[in-house]
DNA sequence: TATGAATGAGATTTCATTCAT
DNA sequence: CATGAATGAAATCTCATTCAT
C-alpha cells in the first residue's frame, strides 16, 4: 500500500493529524502504566495523567477504558504477531531441522524482545481480554505451517495438515512462552534441540 | 497510634459441623457466582447474596474476598490435580504408546469434567492469581514423568530427563487444555493419536 | 463499713458470686486490651476474646460496650482518686512547704504508678469519656484543699477558699500529669521545688 | 502483584479559585459536622452531605478522612495559636502585674472566641490527635516566656528559665482552658487577679 | 476540542448487638 | 446462664464516566 505523498486531494482535517498523534500518545501512556503500575492499577485517571491530558479527553479518542487497554494490547500483539509470522515466513522456503531450529530461535527472540509486556499480558491480564488476538495469531501461524506442509507432500506422517498444524502450534506456543517467562534451567541451545526433536519426531514418524 | 494488633486469632469452632457446612456453602456460592457472573462480578456482596447470608457473615469463615476466591479455585485445582496425577500414577507401570494414549485420554477427561470452571480459570482469571497452583501441579506431574523415564533407561533419546519432562509437560498441558476449551474440529481418537505421535516421536528418536 | 462475715441472712444467689468474678474478669480483660491494643481497637469481640468468653456473654454483665469501657476507666480512676486523696489526706495535718512538697511527690507517684494507663486515658480517650470522673476527683481534692485552708485562717492571701482551691487544683493537676507523661528535662527534686514555689507564692503573697 | 504505586500526584489546580473555594467549603462543612454531631459522627458521608457534594468529591481535595478532620482542627488551632502568641508578643515589652493580667485576659478572650470548637477539641477529640499541634503551641509560648524572662534578669526567683517557663505555661494553660470551658463561679476579674497572684508569686519569691 | 471537577454507585470490611440453641 | 453464629448498617474509599465551561 503505497502512501500518497504530496497528494493533491483535499487533506484530511488537521484535527485528524492531532487525533492520530493523540491516540498514539494515549496508547503509549497506557502501555507505560501497564508496565509500571500493573494491570490492577490501569485506571483511566492514571493513563490520562501519564499522557499528560485530562481524563475527559480520553473519551475523545476512545469510547471507554476497555478500548484503551485493547489498543495497548493490540499494539503489542500486532508487534509480536508480525515478528512471529515474519520469522516463519522468512524461513518457509527452507527445509528440515535447520529451518525448525532457526524458526524456534526467532520465535524466542520475538517473545523475549518485550518480556515485561509479555509477562503482563500472559500473567496479569485475564486471558479473555486477549483471546481473540491470540486466536488470530495462532490461526495465522497455523496457516503458514499448513502451507509449509502442503509444499512438502510425502514427508509427513499424516496428511491431515490442519490437525498437524494445530498440534504443532499449540505445543510450540506454550513451550516458547513459558521458556521465555519462567526461564527454566535449560540453555537456549538445548531448548532449540528439544524443539527440533519434538517437531521432527512428530512430523516424520513412519 | 498503631500498636501491635495482636491477631485476634480465629477461635476454633467446636461446632465443626456448622462451620464446615457454612464454609462449603460459601465456596459453592462463590463458585456459582464465578460461573454465572464471571470474574469481574465476583464481589463479596454477590457471594453473600448467593449464599443467602449477610455480607458480614463471610468474614466469620474467610479473612477477605481473596481467600474466598482462592478457596473456590483451590477446590477446583485440587480436584484437577488429583485427577491428573491419578491418571498418570495409575499408568506409571504400563509402557509404550498404549500407556501414553490412556494417560492423555484420562487427562482430557479430567479437564473436561468441569469445562465451565476450567474456562473461567484459564480465560477469566489473571494467570498470576493461579500461577502457584499451576506451577505446583506442573512440578508434580513433571516428577512423575521423570520417574517414568528413569525406570526405562535406554529407551529415550536424551538422558536429561528433567528437560525432557519439562518439554513434555508444557507441550501436553497446552494441547489438552486448548483441546478441551476450544473444541477444535479434531475427534477425540485423532487427538489421542496425535499426542501419542508427538510423545513417542520426541522420546524415541534415535 | 464493716463487712458482714458469716452473716445469717440468706446469701445472695451463687450466681452473684460468679457474676462478681466475671465482671472483674471482663474489666481486667478490657484493661488489658486498652493497654495492649489501644483505644481504637477496644472492641467487644476483642474484650470477650481476652476474657475467654463469648461476645454474647458480655451482655450478661454490661448493657453495652460503653459500659465496659466506663468500668475499666472507673476502676483506674477510683484507684488514682484514692491514691491522690489519700496522699492529701495523710498530710492534711502537716503544714507549710514540706507538706506541699510531700503531697506533690505523692501525687507524682500516684500518677506514675500506672503511666501506661494514664497515657491511654489522657491521650487516647476522648476526654469526655472521663470528664465526670475527672470532675469528681477534682471536686474531692478541692474540698480537701479547702478544708486545709479553712483550718489555717490568716495564712492565705485570699479568703475565697473556693477560688483558691480551684486555681491550685487546676494548676497542679496539669503540671503533674504532664510531668509524668511528657517527662520534661526536669529532675524530680527540681519539679517539686517549683511546685512548692508556685503554691507558697500563690498562697502566701501579702 | 503490588508494584510501586507511583503517587498519582494531585495535579495542580490552575483554577485555584474553584479549588480553594471547595476546600474551604469542605472544611466549613467538617467544622459544622464536628460541632453539630460530634467527633464520633464525623464521617465522610456526613461531611460530604453537609458540604452539598458527593462523597467521592471529597477525595479531590483531601487524601482521606483524617486529612479533612486535620484541616478543620488546623484551621482552628492556627487561629488560637496566633491569637495566643499575638497576645503575648504584643505585651512582651510591658512589665509587671499589669502585663500578666492583660495577657491572661487576652488569653481567655482567645479561647472564648470559639468555645464550641474548643470544647470539641479538648473534650471530644482524643488528645493524641491533637498532641503535636498542642505541643508546638506550648513550645512557641514557652519560648516567648523565656525571652521575656531573659530580658529581665534578676527579677526572677530562678535562673532556670526553661523550667520556669514550662511550669508557667502548663499551669496557665489548664487554668484558662478550664476557666473558659467549665465556667466556674469565678468572675473574670477575680480569675485574672488569681492568675496574676499565681504568676507574680511564683516568679518573684525571694 | 479540551478540560477536569463532579459524580455516585459500588466495593470491601468492621463490629456492636441479638437470639436460637 | 452461656454461647457464638449471624446480622446488617455503616464506614471509607475508588474510579469510569459525564458535562458545563
Amino acid at each position: 500500500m503505497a502512501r500518497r505523498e504530496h497528494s493533491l486531494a483535499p487533506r484530511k482535517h488537521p484535527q485528524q493529524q492531532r487525533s492520530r498523534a493523540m491516540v498514539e500518545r494515549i496508547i503509549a501512556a497506557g502501555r507505560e502504566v501497564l508496565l509500571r503500575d500493573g494491570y490492577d492499577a490501569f485506571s483511566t485517571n492514571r493513563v490520562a495523567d501519564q499522557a499528560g491530558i485530562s481524563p475527559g479527553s480520553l473519551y475523545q479518542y476512545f469510547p471507554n477504558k476497555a478500548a484503551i487497554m485493547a489498543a495497548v494490547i493490540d499494539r503489542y500483539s500486532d508487534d509480536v504477531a508480525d515478528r512471529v509470522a515474519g520469522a516463519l515466513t522468512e524461513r518457509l522456503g527452507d527445509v528440515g531441522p535447520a529451518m525448525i531450529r532457526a524458526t524456534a530461535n526467532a520465535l524466542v527472540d520475538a517473545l523475549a524482545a518485550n518480556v515485561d509486556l509479555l509477562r503482563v499480558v500472559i500473567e496479569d491480564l485475564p486471558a479473555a481480554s486477549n483471546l481473540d488476538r491470540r486466536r488470530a495469531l495462532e490461526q495465522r501461524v497455523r496457516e503458514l505451517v499448513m502451507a509449509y506442509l502442503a509444499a512438502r507432500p510425502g514427508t509427513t506422517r499424516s496428511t491431515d495438515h490442519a490437525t498437524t498444524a494445530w498440534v504443532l502450534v499449540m505445543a510450540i506456543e506454550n513451550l516458547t512462552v513459558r521458556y521465555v517467562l519462567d526461564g527454566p534451567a535449560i540453555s537456549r541451545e538445548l531448548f532449540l534441540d528439544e524443539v527440533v526433536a519434538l517437531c521432527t519426531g512428530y512430523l516424520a514418524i513412519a
Side-chain angles (χ1 to χ4, degrees), chain A residues 97-154:
Chain A
M99 178 270 181
I100 295 176
R101 171 176 267 266
T103 305
N105 195 35
L107 214 60
V108 172
D109 281 342
L111 295 178
N114 267 311
V115 212
D116 292 340
L117 208 40
L118 178 69
R119 189 176 307 280
V120 171
V121 169
I122 295 294
E123 296 183 354
D124 288 356
L125 264 63
S129 65
N130 198 31
L131 261 197
D132 292 347
R133 276 172 295 261
R134 190 162 166 176
R135 297 262 162 86
L137 175 54
E138 290 166 353
Q139 168 70 12
R140 196 171 153 194
V141 172
R142 231 156 35 223
E143 282 164 3
L144 290 172
V145 172
M146 286 169 70
Y148 176 89
L149 298 176
R152 286 157 192 77

Side-chain angles (χ1 to χ4, degrees), chain A residues 59-60 67 102 111 125 128 130 152 164 183 188 192:
Chain A
Y59 291 81
Q60 306 268 349
L111 295 178
L125 264 63
N130 198 31
R152 286 157 192 77
T164 304
R188 171 80 77 110
L192 297 178

Side-chain angles (χ1 to χ4, degrees), chain A residues 101-102 104-110 112 179-180 184-195:
Chain A
R101 171 176 267 266
N105 195 35
L107 214 60
V108 172
D109 281 342
Y179 181 69
V180 169
I186 302 174
S187 75
R188 171 80 77 110
E189 290 310 308
L190 178 51
F191 176 72
L192 297 178
D193 290 344
E194 301 300 313
V195 170

